[in-house]
Amino acid sequence: MNDVMSTALSGLRASTARFEESASRTVTDKNADLAAELTTQKMAAADFEANLAVAKTADRMMKSLLDILA
């Protein structure tokens, strides 16, 4: 179960970093391709939501397992 949570947390960090890098380019680069940056940000947000769902599911599964064993 820890492997699943570690993978989800790693994905959360990666998607956050990708979003922040894109947002920074959008603000600092006058020649930034706004359509591409918006697409990158939307994809990073979707990745974040998917990884968050995995983390929440792993947490619920662990709680259910503990309830069964208790």
Side-chain angles (χ1 to χ4, degrees):
M1 190 64 68
N2 284 340
D3 291 340
V4 173
M5 191 61 80
S6 294
T7 301
L9 292 174
S10 176
L12 288 169
R13 284 188 210 102
S15 59
T16 299
R18 195 166 58 252
F19 186 92
E20 289 176 351
E21 290 166 3
S22 176
S24 178
R25 279 192 304 272
T26 301
V27 171
T28 59
D29 186 0
K30 292 180 183 179
N31 297 321
D33 182 355
L34 297 180
E37 296 301 342
L38 179 61
T39 302
T40 299
Q41 292 172 18
K42 292 262 188 190
M43 290 175 61
D47 289 348
F48 186 92
E49 289 177 15
N51 283 297
L52 186 58
V54 169
K56 287 180 179 181
T57 300
D59 186 55
R60 283 195 304 269
M61 289 173 64
M62 183 60 75
K63 286 180 183 177
S64 294
L65 179 62
L66 290 174
D67 288 343
I68 291 169
L69 297 175

